[in-house]
């Protein structure tokens, strides 16, 4: 199945056009022509089975059927401080999208080494992962903001911060979270959260949790949190 | 903490020598000298706290204390077909070691695109990940063999094969496995298992399980299986 992403398509549309880039991909790389079938997703749960009606610099298609997938019965939002090495963050985004995630919010912590993140490349990776795993939901991606600004804006009802407090036993995320929730998990930078950030988060109702006894890299911890919440709801 | 790996060191040793490469790393990169402390692991659960007694082309150290970590109460062995793109396999090894894994066995399936895998680079990545996550256990890594040869050699008491049979509901791994087991999970190549491979595995007592409803890449499925078994035992 050849899956394309077109956020502007709606279930009311009987036909549409591929972007220039997708048209090139369809005609040159995939060598598709008039009459061939493609799938198009709007990233909002709909997959449109389509037939190509013009194979050109701009391909046109006709919608044949729509398959709608409801959202998951729980939602996972990971708020993560971008790693110094961008590859590691891109890898996390690819895997998190493959496994199903609703939202990724980036933040800059007081101990963050990386203080700037461009979303453009991250978005491309997310789209590719969504298509690769044949999903119809595109997660929401948020620009990096300071953690102090992010914390008060998090409205998910189950809020966690991955941090192992010294001399205090923290519960594993998979035991602390309850099924069917709307989850938000904060994952700190390589330099960890500052004391004042931890205090702000706990005051805002974030529960400290552990992801296991090993010291994990930022991106491994972020993916581990996704997985724990997915498994809790399996 | 500066952690070095030295599989030949034993708890009976009161002193030892770093390899040439580690000596260079200690003196040139880390700029360590006589009297500085380092940690050395044997990869078999022991971490030796040491003091450098000679900082040279070959550094010498004296053992000050030994910290022994018992093995986990369960064991995870992932048997995976190497991906065409080696980066993806290396990534899996890095993450699996960070999260804790006992053994990784590579196999070549009938539909494998990659039919050769050199362990040397994989071993280096595993050692680096073990040190990065401050662990004292080095997982066992097995050379790639044909799947038909691997299957009869697997002796773990809980055996699974990640495969979604058509029209038959398979249980998620995290529900199918029981805690405190010795687990082995087979993860197929990009081209999936062949029908005869599936038959051979099920006849050998491997249970078909799913890792979730999404179509996962080989390396994502392999890591997902690790995580499921870790979470089951948290």
């Amino acid at each position: 199945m050849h899956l394309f992403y077109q956020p502007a398509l709606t279930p009311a549309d009987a036909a549409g056009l591929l972007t220039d880039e997708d048209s090139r991909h369809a005609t040159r790389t995939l060598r598709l022509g008039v009459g061939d079938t493609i799938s198009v997703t709007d990233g909002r749960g709909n997959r449109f089975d389509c037939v190509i009606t013009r194979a050109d610099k701009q391909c046109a298609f006709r919608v044949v059927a729509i398959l709608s997938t409801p959202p998951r019965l729980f939602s996972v939002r990971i708020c993560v401080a971008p790693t110094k090495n961008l590859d590691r963050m891109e890898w996390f985004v690819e895997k998190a999208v493959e496994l199903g995630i609703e939202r990724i919010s980036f933040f800059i912590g007081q101990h963050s080494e990386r203080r700037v993140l461009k979303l453009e490349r991250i978005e491309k990776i997310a789209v590719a992962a969504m298509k690769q795993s044949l999903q119809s939901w595109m997660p929401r991606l948020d620009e990096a903001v300071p953690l102090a600004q992010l914390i008060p804006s998090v409205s998910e009802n189950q809020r966690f911060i991955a941090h192992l407090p010294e001399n205090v036993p923290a519960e594993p995320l998979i035991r602390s979270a309850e099924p069917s929730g709307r989850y938000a998990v904060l994952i700190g930078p390589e330099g960890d959260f500052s004391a004042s950030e931890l205090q702000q988060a706990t005051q805002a109702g974030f529960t400290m949790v552990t992801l296991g006894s090993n010291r994990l890299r930022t991106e491994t911890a972020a993916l581990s949190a996704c997985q724990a919440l997915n498994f809790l709801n399996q």
Side-chain angles (χ1 to χ4, degrees), chain A:
Chain A
M1 182 172 57
H2 304 299
L3 187 59
F4 296 86
Y5 174 49
Q6 200 151 99
L9 199 65
T10 79
D13 296 326
L17 297 170
L18 289 183
T19 62
D20 292 359
E21 195 183 334
D22 280 350
S23 298
R24 247 192 327 272
H25 181 65
T27 56
R28 302 220 182 142
T29 314
L30 304 173
R31 300 188 171 276
L32 299 175
V34 171
D36 283 331
T37 58
I38 57 171
S39 289
V40 181
T41 177
D42 59 3
R44 293 183 306 281
N46 298 304
R47 201 178 73 207
F48 305 78
D49 291 335
C50 305
V51 171
I52 295 179
T53 53
R54 194 179 71 222
D56 210 326
K57 278 188 181 170
Q58 188 153 44
C59 289
F61 57 82
R62 182 168 52 80
V63 177
V64 178
I66 304 178
L67 176 73
S68 292
T69 311
R72 304 196 293 184
L73 297 173
F74 61 101
S75 71
V76 176
R77 176 182 183 182
I78 300 290
C79 307
V80 60
T83 46
K84 194 174 164 196
N85 175 341
L86 262 190
D87 283 355
R88 297 187 169 274
M89 211 42 9
E90 293 175 1
W91 165 82
F92 159 67
V93 170
E94 177 185 303
K95 295 307 168 206
V97 174
E98 254 184 81
L99 293 161
I101 188 167
E102 278 66 25
R103 188 169 177 180
I104 301 174
S105 306
F106 296 100
F107 70 81
I108 310 300
Q110 286 172 347
H111 297 170
S112 281
E113 288 194 66
R114 171 175 292 279
R115 309 195 74 83
V116 177
L117 180 80
K118 290 195 181 136
L119 267 196
E120 197 184 338
R121 207 180 132 76
I122 297 277
E123 269 163 356
K124 280 194 182 160
I125 287 167
V127 169
M130 174 185 65
K131 294 198 287 191
Q132 155 73 22
S133 53
L134 305 181
Q135 292 180 87
S136 312
W137 286 96
M138 173 70 184
R140 178 166 165 189
L141 302 172
D142 300 317
E143 295 276 1
V145 295
L147 180 57
Q149 182 182 327
L150 175 70
I151 286 176
S153 77
V154 173
S155 64
E156 278 77 5
N157 65 340
Q158 296 194 43
R159 298 193 285 282
F160 303 96
I161 180 166
H163 180 75
L164 213 54
E166 277 179 59
N167 307 320
V168 184
E171 242 195 320
L173 173 59
I174 200 168
R175 304 261 168 262
S176 189
E178 288 179 18
S180 308
R182 292 183 307 112
Y183 313 103
V185 187
L186 299 180
I187 305 288
E190 280 105 335
D192 211 345
F193 295 105
S194 71
S196 70
E197 286 172 339
L198 287 169
Q199 198 184 10
Q200 193 193 354
T202 47
Q203 279 174 357
F206 286 80
T207 306
M208 285 191 195
V209 288
T210 159
L211 297 163
S213 52
N214 288 355
R215 182 176 80 164
L216 303 179
R217 287 178 182 274
T218 296
E219 75 281 5
T220 318
L223 192 73
S224 201
C226 282
Q227 299 256 47
L229 297 168
N230 282 354
F231 288 129
L232 176 68
N233 286 281
Q234 256 187 9

